[in-house]
Amino acid sequence: MFLSLCLSMPLAARTPTLDLQWSSHGGTYAEQRYSPAGQINTDNVGKLGLSWFFEFDTARGQEATPLMVDGVIYTTSAWSKVFALDARSGKLLWSYDPEVPGAAAAKGCCDVVNRGAAYADGKIFAGTFDGRLIALHAKTGKLLWSTMTVDSSKPYTITGAPRVARGKVFIGNGGAEYGVRGYISAYNTSDGALAWRFYTVPGNPDDGPDGAASDTIMRELVENTWSGDKYWVYGGGGTVWDSIVYDEELNQLYFGVGNGSPWNHRERSAGQGDNLFLSSIVAVDPDTGNYLWHYQETPAETWDFTATQQITLATLPVAGKQRQVLLHAPKNGFFYVLDRRSGELLSAEKFAPANWASHVDMETGRPVETENARFEKAPWLATIGASGAHNWHPMSYSPDTGLVYIPAQQVPFLYMEEEKFVYRPGSWNLGVDMMSAPPPESEEEKAAAKAALQGSLLAWDPINQREAWRIPHQTTWNGGTLATGGGLVFQGAADGYFRAHDAASGTLLWQYDTGLPIQPGAISYVLDGEQYVAVMSGNGGGFPLTLPAVDGPKRFPNGRLLVFNLGGGATLPSFEGAVAHLNPPERQASAERVAQGKNLFGLHCAQCHGVGTMSAGVLPDLKRSAALTSSAAWQMIVAQGKLESRGMGAFSQLLSLDEIEMIRDYVGERAQLAARAATPD
Ligand code: CA
């Protein structure tokens, strides 16, 4: 029902043309991210050009999938801002700023991003980074209601798009790296009142039942899969931060559950138990939230292997029988086909060279893990690590080709036991040592690090569970995909190119340099007989913030919404953005202070300013900060929050003034090393 068809023009005047909307996150409830529109096709896609673009007011990450309803594009930008634009011209109709406090930025692992809005009955629904769910009038942008969905004293954030069905809007949250307890909630679309809540992991047993829809299954099944005496202090994790899908055919709601908190199963649950519902797909009744079934992809999760990646629904012939299935390609590198009526596992095969498990045992439905994959004896190098073989970037499915198009990647990760795990409220709590593996320093190390990072557009045959074709990228952390009735698959990439491939063969047919990395999936819509393809572009998000930027920091323009059509002739402005110079201090700090500062930087700063201070430039490379050479300026920013409105909150509650100085000592030494490397004598 959601991809509605209607006649757009008076019948008498012209040839009737079918308009096509994109009115829910994945195109339809089934979230195949397939548009049947075929005006833009394999024959003419070479004539595709930019129709118009809209530039946002921020250079932070852009992860939204826009909606197109009745000639209006609704999209969200960083800091949870909502925009309504004329889908023909790009004219701004209204915008809404929920005024997320800048200090909230420090509660998120992966930038102040937002992956989109939901539409129903003339209302737009969106989550805000600080945990609110808001409803806006679709015509005017006026706030209709706002509900706080989280305990604001805890490091919860919302970055995912809500979904809406049957008079309810469904929303989860994030925060499992910091230590929270995951859940999903349903709110009435009419007034924002809570209809039900389902917790994904148990709470403190001393507190008794939650009074939530999950109470029965907690008691009967979930609690017995947890051990140890602190998991409720650590939160347990299991946040529902992205995928939520409503099944129109079976009236069921599915959601993907995130990683454990802390990551390390030995720290979290004394190394005992499967820890339901971490890294699982869970099905509930959308009206009541009552449990229906689950399938746990990674029992006793210990690698940050979330199951939050996009869920796609389809009907496929399996062993000669039409089955209503759920398709899933999570971080752990296996492609799963489940019977969505019952949750029965139909097949599971690797779509990436994941070395944590050899295969999934079809008798038990459980993965068969490899030696030392739990890094219990020694550090263990995973070919597929915490970034996942597929992250949040959505995949698509074409019923024409029968293929699933996965933005696949390979990001190795060295798992090491944290020597002495101490729970620290308000900072990363992983139980995995993120500081000991040194960032690449020499040119050789940098080249090796670059070569180890891979990305590809992977066409996967879900019936035969095998690769149909694969197009390698020069980059990793590439954009989501869109399949169309024109025989095309669209994908943007981290190199800034937006591309169209032949959906059957993978042949590259068209590309356009947008000048900005592209991460989300594109959409397509038809208005007045004209087909458009739209995609959001922008640097930022989790990966570019945290992982070492091998090539050093770069400056990019603000994020944009780009809309293409056949013959489009608009052009993008050129951009010259210079990176600030290195600002090494003159004085030399003691090795001991630098070492302590390094440790503190890893705990509190690296997730935004880059591991080992190797910033990609989305957020400042601190080696280049003007404040680096002034203790007073440094304290003003770090301790007192002078730049709080820009997302740099005050750390005086988490760090002493001397600890903040030690971080400055460490960054100062990094700046001195970088300056020496830049001017060899
Ligand atoms: Ca995670």
Side-chain angles (χ1 to χ4, degrees):
M1 63 159 261
F2 250 35
L3 195 73
S4 56
L5 298 160
C6 63
L7 293 173
S8 71
M9 303 233 163
L11 278 170
R14 4 190 144 179
T15 315
T17 48
L18 291 174
D19 274 6
L20 279 168
Q21 317 231 45
W22 189 284
S23 55
S24 71
H25 189 64
T28 65
Y29 277 136
E31 304 221 358
Q32 293 181 350
R33 291 179 173 263
Y34 169 82
S35 168
Q39 186 184 73
I40 302 165
N41 54 49
T42 50
D43 289 335
N44 61 17
V45 69
K47 298 192 180 75
L48 202 58
L50 187 68
S51 178
W52 56 266
F53 71 96
F54 180 83
E55 188 156 313
F56 299 98
D57 58 355
T58 172
R60 303 288 290 254
Q62 302 293 347
E63 296 191 355
T65 299
L67 307 173
M68 200 295 286
V69 183
D70 298 336
V72 179
I73 288 187
Y74 301 97
T75 196
T76 61
S77 172
W79 295 107
S80 323
K81 294 178 185 177
V82 187
F83 294 81
L85 304 156
D86 185 307
R88 296 170 177 89
S89 67
K91 180 176 167 256
L92 179 67
L93 302 175
W94 57 258
S95 65
Y96 180 82
D97 180 359
E99 293 174 357
V100 171
K107 288 186 175 184
C109 66
C110 306
D111 205 355
V112 290
V113 294
N114 189 285
R115 284 185 294 279
Y119 172 88
D121 305 327
K123 291 176 187 160
I124 292 293
F125 306 95
T128 70
F129 195 76
D130 56 345
R132 288 168 282 161
L133 180 67
I134 58 172
L136 305 172
H137 194 296
K139 283 254 154 32
T140 63
K142 183 175 161 270
L143 182 69
L144 299 173
W145 53 255
S146 171
T147 301
M148 180 52 81
T149 72
V150 300
D151 175 347
S152 296
S153 71
K154 302 212 163 88
Y156 283 106
T157 49
I158 297 180
T159 56
R163 310 298 202 279
V164 61
R166 297 176 69 82
K168 293 188 174 59
V169 52
F170 309 103
I171 189 76
N173 47 57
E177 269 63 52
Y178 293 78
V180 296
R181 183 185 180 200
Y183 58 88
I184 175 175
S185 315
Y187 293 88
N188 296 329
T189 55
S190 55
D191 58 4
L194 180 69
W196 56 256
R197 177 163 292 172
F198 187 100
Y199 287 93
T200 59
V201 297
N204 185 344
D206 290 345
D207 291 347
D210 297 302
S214 42
D215 280 359
T216 306
I217 196 67
M218 280 290 155
R219 194 178 61 242
E220 292 177 351
L221 179 68
V222 174
E223 283 167 5
N224 294 332
T225 68
W226 288 74
S227 285
D229 54 5
K230 285 205 195 68
Y231 60 80
W232 57 87
V233 178
Y234 305 153
T239 47
V240 182
W241 58 262
D242 197 50
S243 197
I244 304 168
V245 174
Y246 173 64
D247 184 339
E248 205 179 4
E249 296 166 14
L250 300 176
N251 189 34
Q252 300 188 140
L253 189 78
Y254 315 109
F255 52 88
V257 183
N259 58 276
S261 178
W263 291 1
N264 191 327
H265 182 240
R266 285 183 291 281
E267 302 292 354
R268 186 178 66 240
S269 187
Q272 304 285 314
D274 284 349
N275 291 185
L276 292 172
F277 289 113
L278 294 182
S279 195
S280 302
I281 305 274
V282 180
V284 299
D285 181 323
D287 299 320
T288 62
N290 289 340
Y291 169 86
L292 298 173
W293 57 257
H294 78 277
Y295 175 72
Q296 189 174 38
E297 295 171 336
T298 312
E301 195 289 301
T302 199
W303 304 274
D304 188 22
F305 281 170
T306 62
T308 50
Q309 284 58 48
Q310 182 208 341
I311 293 168
T312 299
L313 310 183
T315 300
L316 297 179
V318 178
K321 217 173 116 195
Q322 288 296 113
R323 301 286 288 260
Q324 289 166 299
V325 298
L326 180 157
L327 308 174
H328 204 226
K331 274 188 181 181
N332 77 16
F334 283 87
F335 191 96
Y336 297 89
V337 182
L338 304 181
D339 182 317
R340 61 182 204 259
R341 204 175 273 279
S342 62
E344 179 195 349
L345 176 68
L346 298 177
S347 62
E349 294 293 339
K350 281 185 196 175
F351 68 92
N355 62 348
W356 69 280
S358 60
H359 64 288
V360 173
D361 181 334
M362 289 305 292
E363 290 285 307
T364 61
R366 297 174 70 90
V368 179
E369 292 178 15
T370 53
E371 175 77 16
N372 194 42
R374 292 184 174 270
F375 50 101
E376 70 271 35
K377 294 179 194 137
W380 179 71
L381 182 63
T383 47
I384 300 295
S387 296
H390 171 214
N391 209 294
W392 63 266
H393 319 87
M395 63 186 193
S396 58
Y397 166 74
S398 167
D400 303 331
T401 62
L403 299 175
V404 178
Y405 303 97
I406 307 169
Q409 61 182 19
Q410 203 177 318
V411 184
F413 191 97
L414 184 68
Y415 289 92
M416 274 187 285
E417 184 89 39
E418 188 174 341
E419 231 166 72
K420 193 172 179 302
F421 173 69
V422 181
Y423 174 68
R424 301 172 191 86
S427 69
W428 277 38
N429 287 288
L430 307 183
V432 170
D433 187 339
M434 295 277 276
M435 263 62 73
S436 297
E441 303 275 1
S442 67
E443 288 311 310
E444 292 76 30
E445 286 169 350
K446 286 180 181 177
K450 260 183 103 164
L453 300 177
Q454 294 177 24
S456 58
L457 171 59
L458 169 63
W460 187 260
D461 172 351
I463 298 171
N464 298 302
Q465 284 280 27
R466 64 177 178 228
E467 181 175 321
W469 49 260
R470 185 190 290 262
I471 307 293
H473 286 299
Q474 299 299 313
T475 51
T476 188
W477 208 253
N478 298 302
T481 69
L482 163 75
T484 75
L488 298 168
V489 53
F490 287 90
Q491 185 191 26
D495 62 6
Y497 279 88
F498 187 46
R499 298 183 172 94
H501 299 260
D502 185 315
S505 66
T507 303
L508 179 66
L509 299 176
W510 171 84
Q511 62 180 350
Y512 183 95
D513 184 4
T514 73
L516 265 170
I518 300 174
Q519 299 182 23
I523 68 164
S524 187
Y525 58 91
V526 181
L527 262 182
D528 314 332
E530 182 80 34
Q531 183 184 357
Y532 298 86
V533 177
V535 71
M536 300 277 287
S537 66
N539 200 19
F543 191 80
L545 251 59
T546 309
L547 277 199
V550 178
D551 293 331
K554 281 197 195 79
R555 285 283 306 279
F556 286 102
N558 285 342
R560 293 166 179 156
L561 171 69
L562 305 164
V563 179
F564 299 87
N565 67 345
L566 291 174
T571 52
L572 292 169
S574 60
F575 176 80
E576 303 270 335
V579 173
H581 292 293
L582 288 161
N583 186 27
E586 275 175 23
R587 67 179 188 137
Q588 200 76 43
S590 74
E592 192 192 331
R593 287 184 64 82
V594 168
Q596 287 195 56
K598 176 190 175 193
N599 195 37
L600 293 164
F601 183 92
L603 284 169
H604 297 280
C605 319
Q607 56 264 43
C608 290
H609 294 283
V611 170
T613 74
M614 297 184 77
S615 163
V618 184
L619 296 187
D621 177 342
L622 298 182
K623 301 187 293 296
R624 296 157 198 275
S625 166
L628 185 55
T629 44
S630 158
S631 172
W634 188 263
Q635 293 287 356
M636 193 101 85
I637 295 168
V638 184
Q640 292 161 40
K642 189 184 168 213
L643 301 180
E644 183 167 299
S645 65
R646 284 152 63 176
M648 178 59 200
F651 279 74
S652 52
Q653 303 227 318
L654 293 170
L655 295 165
S656 71
L657 297 185
D658 194 43
E659 284 175 323
I660 292 171
E661 270 305 282
M662 287 192 273
I663 293 173
R664 191 169 79 91
D665 289 338
Y666 166 63
V667 177
E669 190 187 79
R670 298 291 305 173
Q672 288 162 348
L673 285 170
R676 277 204 293 278
T679 52
D681 43 29

